[in-house]
Amino acid sequence: EAGVTQSPTHLIKTRGQQATLRCSPISGHTSVYWYQQALGLGLQFLLWYDEGEERNRGNFPPRFSGRQFPNYSSELNVNALELEDSALYLCASSLGNQETQYFGPGTRLLVL
Amino acid sequence: QKEVEQNSGPLSVPEGAIASLNCTYSDRGSQSFFWYRQYSGKSPELIMSIYSNGDKEDGRFTAQLNKASQYVSLLIRDSQPSDSATYLCAVASGSARQLTFGSGTQLTVLP
């Protein structure tokens, strides 16, 4: 069974640009979660999508947004990039009625 | 604010020993608890989940939960050098589905 996949693996942007990160969940999983892992800050919850709807949002500014598509894949958009947005962005998925989350390999975003 | 605390380590144990990793959490309403392993430069990998007080064993790993003390631990028996990684404790608090992670404990198993 294929795991969670993410693309791209690495992304380099300059300050002020927009970044788009993509995630495909494990087959059969309807919930997708996004986390940020910045150096020294640990894993921070960003967003939860289920059945195409945003269900919960972490303590991040509105320039972090996303969506979930009908095939349950998801996209995270980060607008007006700042240097401190440089981090590993992790996507996880779960069955719709369960909390156990399985992580993808991540997208490493570098903002210059 | 919900908090999850872990000893940051580093924790070093000899090969074959038992490694003990500890975690405390602040939200008494927490229902689900997870241990993830993260190798350097990689993403977190789920090791175990535990939901009820007591012990849960899976191979060389045993998770222990004490909700009264708001404490969860992970024991790794017969530690191997391949167990060297950062171990993350994560807590979920019901319908929000948000996992709150500790800062992780770095474990080194010495050959």
Side-chain angles (χ1 to χ4, degrees), chain A residues 31 33 35 37 43 45 48 56 90 94-105 108, chain B residues 31-32 34 36 38 41-44 46 49 51 88 92-99 101:
Chain A
S31 281
Y33 311 81
Y35 291 84
Q37 189 173 33
L43 267 156
F45 170 76
W48 167 33
N56 191 17
L90 292 159
S94 76
L95 290 168
N97 59 350
Q98 293 189 12
E99 293 174 309
T100 305
Q101 299 177 23
Y102 299 89
F103 284 86
R108 198 166 294 278
Chain B
Q31 298 293 324
S32 308
F34 305 90
Y36 287 85
Q38 187 172 26
K42 302 295 185 181
S43 64
L46 179 69
S49 59
Y51 306 97
L88 299 166
S93 298
S95 61
R97 293 285 190 92
Q98 171 178 337
L99 289 183
F101 284 84

Side-chain angles (χ1 to χ4, degrees), chain A:
Chain A
E1 179 183 278
V4 177
T5 60
Q6 293 186 244
S7 64
T9 55
H10 292 81
L11 190 57
I12 301 175
K13 295 286 186 179
T14 56
R15 196 169 49 183
Q17 286 188 314
Q18 178 193 36
T20 299
L21 289 64
R22 296 180 177 83
C23 171
S24 291
I26 293 170
S27 178
H29 286 192
T30 62
S31 281
V32 170
Y33 311 81
W34 288 96
Y35 291 84
Q36 182 196 66
Q37 189 173 33
L39 266 176
L41 291 179
L43 267 156
Q44 304 287 327
F45 170 76
L46 265 166
L47 291 158
W48 167 33
Y49 291 95
D50 184 62
E51 298 287 354
E53 300 286 332
E54 182 181 303
R55 303 295 184 180
N56 191 17
R57 180 181 184 85
N59 189 24
F60 280 84
R63 58 191 186 82
F64 287 84
S65 65
R67 53 181 172 167
Q68 187 179 32
F69 300 99
N71 66 353
Y72 304 112
S73 67
S74 177
E75 195 173 87
L76 174 69
N77 295 292
V78 187
N79 294 318
L81 285 164
E82 300 179 0
L83 297 179
E84 53 264 35
D85 296 333
S86 295
L88 178 66
Y89 288 84
L90 292 159
C91 173
S93 74
S94 76
L95 290 168
N97 59 350
Q98 293 189 12
E99 293 174 309
T100 305
Q101 299 177 23
Y102 299 89
F103 284 86
T107 292
R108 198 166 294 278
L109 173 64
L110 177 61
V111 182
L112 302 175

Side-chain angles (χ1 to χ4, degrees), chain B residues 3-83:
Chain B
E3 294 183 348
V4 177
E5 301 283 343
Q6 292 182 253
N7 292 332
S8 60
L11 173 66
S12 293
V13 300
E15 184 175 355
I18 296 175
S20 177
L21 306 164
N22 304 315
C23 173
T24 59
Y25 59 94
S26 63
D27 183 7
R28 284 197 169 273
S30 300
Q31 298 293 324
S32 308
F33 307 86
F34 305 90
W35 283 100
Y36 287 85
R37 176 174 62 195
Q38 187 172 26
Y39 292 112
S40 180
K42 302 295 185 181
S43 64
E45 172 192 9
L46 179 69
I47 298 175
M48 291 191 70
S49 59
I50 186 166
Y51 306 97
S52 304
N53 281 329
D55 295 359
K56 179 182 178 183
E57 187 174 317
D58 184 0
R60 296 186 296 112
F61 299 96
T62 299
Q64 300 173 317
L65 175 61
N66 184 327
K67 290 186 179 180
S69 301
Q70 295 175 244
Y71 175 90
V72 60
S73 66
L74 180 70
L75 299 177
I76 307 175
R77 291 183 302 282
D78 189 24
S79 295
Q80 301 297 310
S82 59
D83 294 326

Side-chain angles (χ1 to χ4, degrees), chain B residues 83-96:
Chain B
D83 294 326
S84 298
T86 296
Y87 288 80
L88 299 166
C89 172
V91 176
S93 298
S95 61

